[in-house]
Amino acid sequence: MSSETDGKGWSKAARGVVVKALLVAGGALLLRRLTKSTTRWDHARFVSHSLSGEKFSKEQAARDPDNYFNIRLLTCPAAEMVDGSRVLYFEQAFWRTPQKPFRQRFLLVKPCPKELKCDVEVSSFAIRDMEEYKNFCDRPKDQRPQPAEVIDDVAEHLTTIYMKRCDRGKRCLYEGSTPPSGFPNSWNGAAYSTSELAVLKNHELHFWERGYDEDGQQVWGPKNGPYEFKPAPSSSFSDVFSLKFPLPQSMEKSIEGSFVLRE
């Protein structure tokens, strides 16, 4: 029995094969374009977004109370530089006394320079007047220092962590560290300090900061592994992304999806 043909001699079966081939090719091209469309600034925005929020080391402290405290880590957008770099306000406090942070910093998040083999730089800076910024993220926006003032109050550079997208099979999305030689640090007998940071799914963060003396002996910081900070319920802190650069959900899914594709 002969197959049905159109006026140009094409059978329905042949047309179906051609259409399917075009759809497959078009889908592959679209997937390639979507994968390539993630820019250096997209990576910086994703890391900035993941750093932001209220997070606790509660679960880790419950598992290993001899080595880890329940620390509240709170970070939120504070300003945006002319080149698009994000300035975040960062503070840590014991969970029972969140109004008394023991560490306050500005974080500057931006893409790595093209000549470096990394995706995102996270640099920490001292704050000129820490008392003025205490509980910055907890305050209403009109009671915080405004972005122009924030930029003026960025003081000395402290550390820089160079982050890369994680290899497939790892739990993390991004990970990085300071250079092996670290950065100068004189707290509690240290000569220098090193930092490691990993961004996991659901915006979980792993921080590992350690201080070493001139002989390379560790003098502060956890010895058994990084602090593990998990986000607090979203209902408990709703104003954390209140500045003008929240990450759209579509972008978040796109970037997280790129790691699935790479696997």
Side-chain angles (χ1 to χ4, degrees):
M1 183 175 63
S2 62
S3 59
E4 185 179 349
T5 62
D6 61 15
K8 296 182 180 180
W10 284 84
S11 70
K12 287 185 177 180
R15 287 205 308 272
V17 170
V18 171
V19 170
K20 287 181 180 179
L22 290 173
L23 287 173
V24 170
L29 180 61
L30 177 61
L31 180 61
R32 185 179 303 171
R33 287 181 176 176
L34 286 174
T35 303
K36 289 184 177 181
S37 68
T38 302
T39 68
R40 294 163 58 244
W41 283 103
D42 289 333
H43 293 300
R45 280 190 285 270
F46 185 84
V47 170
S48 175
H49 183 69
S50 296
L51 288 170
S52 299
E54 183 185 39
K55 309 174 196 289
F56 292 90
S57 57
K58 178 180 179 180
E59 292 183 16
Q60 186 180 33
R63 292 196 314 266
D64 190 358
D66 293 333
N67 293 297
Y68 298 93
F69 298 101
N70 183 5
I71 303 296
R72 183 204 195 206
L73 185 156
L74 184 59
T75 310
C76 64
E80 182 173 343
M81 306 295 280
V82 174
D83 66 356
S85 303
R86 270 60 173 161
V87 180
L88 308 178
Y89 172 77
F90 165 98
E91 71 178 22
Q92 290 177 297
F94 295 108
W95 74 278
R96 290 184 181 276
T97 55
Q99 73 280 7
K100 298 179 180 180
F102 59 80
R103 176 176 292 175
Q104 297 170 258
R105 298 283 188 268
F106 284 132
L107 302 181
L108 182 67
V109 184
K110 64 180 182 179
C112 283
K114 292 183 179 179
E115 63 270 18
L116 296 182
K117 295 181 178 180
C118 58
D119 294 306
V120 182
E121 284 186 7
V122 179
S123 298
S124 63
F125 291 82
I127 300 173
R128 295 192 191 282
D129 185 356
M130 290 191 293
E131 189 66 27
E132 184 181 1
Y133 285 86
K134 187 179 292 185
N135 306 131
F136 175 92
C137 302
D138 289 309
R139 300 186 225 164
K141 288 185 290 184
D142 60 357
Q143 296 180 23
R144 304 173 184 174
Q146 297 304 297
E149 185 179 356
V150 168
I151 293 173
D152 287 341
D153 286 336
V154 175
E156 65 176 307
H157 171 256
L158 301 173
T159 65
T160 295
I161 297 173
Y162 300 94
M163 306 193 69
K164 297 176 64 176
R165 287 170 289 176
C166 294
D167 294 331
R168 64 181 182 180
K170 287 192 172 184
R171 291 179 57 212
C172 57
L173 300 178
Y174 294 85
E175 63 180 351
S177 65
T178 53
S181 57
F183 289 88
N185 187 300
S186 59
W187 189 75
N188 198 34
Y192 67 96
S193 66
T194 62
S195 301
E196 297 179 21
L197 171 62
V199 175
L200 283 68
K201 291 183 179 179
N202 301 318
H203 308 303
E204 180 178 344
L205 301 177
H206 289 185
F207 269 120
W208 199 358
E209 297 179 300
R210 290 165 286 180
Y212 298 88
D213 63 20
E214 293 181 352
D215 297 322
Q217 299 298 312
Q218 186 176 344
V219 294
W220 58 261
K223 295 184 177 181
N224 298 331
Y227 263 89
E228 301 173 1
F229 292 98
K230 296 187 177 183
S234 58
S235 59
S236 67
F237 196 77
S238 59
D239 193 40
V240 72
F241 305 116
S242 59
L243 205 63
K244 64 180 181 180
F245 50 87
L247 187 73
Q249 188 175 10
S250 58
M251 181 184 295
E252 181 176 344
K253 289 182 177 179
S254 174
I255 294 176
E256 287 197 355
S258 69
F259 292 94
V260 176
L261 294 173
R262 291 176 60 194
E263 295 177 359

